[in-house]
Amino acid sequence: GGQIMLAWIGTLTSILGSFTVALGFMLPGYSLFTVGAESWLTVGARRKDWSLVVLNATFFAANLIGLYRAIF
């Protein structure tokens, strides 16, 4: 149910974010990446998959830096 949908949201926003950043659209790209990381962070926590949590918490932090740099 909900976890599967959240996982797909994370996958799709991460894929879209990667191409958006690659094309030079930093603010929307990092926004998409942030949604993807948060989605997978939540899925990992619900599944108690701590390696997935650590990876996506790190991605989330890196994406916040990217958002900050895109804005300022």
Side-chain angles (χ1 to χ4, degrees):
Q3 272 188 35
I4 293 171
M5 175 157 324
L6 192 57
W8 276 109
I9 289 169
T11 297
L12 294 173
T13 55
S14 296
I15 290 168
L16 289 171
S18 68
F19 283 102
T20 305
V21 168
L23 291 169
F25 301 102
M26 300 306 186
L27 184 57
Y30 280 113
S31 297
L32 288 163
F33 269 150
T34 302
V35 171
E38 194 281 327
S39 298
W40 276 111
L41 182 70
T42 302
V43 170
R46 289 180 182 170
R47 293 179 181 171
K48 297 182 179 4
D49 184 341
W50 305 120
S51 61
L52 191 61
V53 170
V54 169
L55 176 65
N56 282 283
T58 304
F59 285 163
F60 186 81
N63 293 327
L64 291 181
I65 294 168
L67 280 171
Y68 178 86
R69 290 178 48 107
I71 294 168
F72 304 104

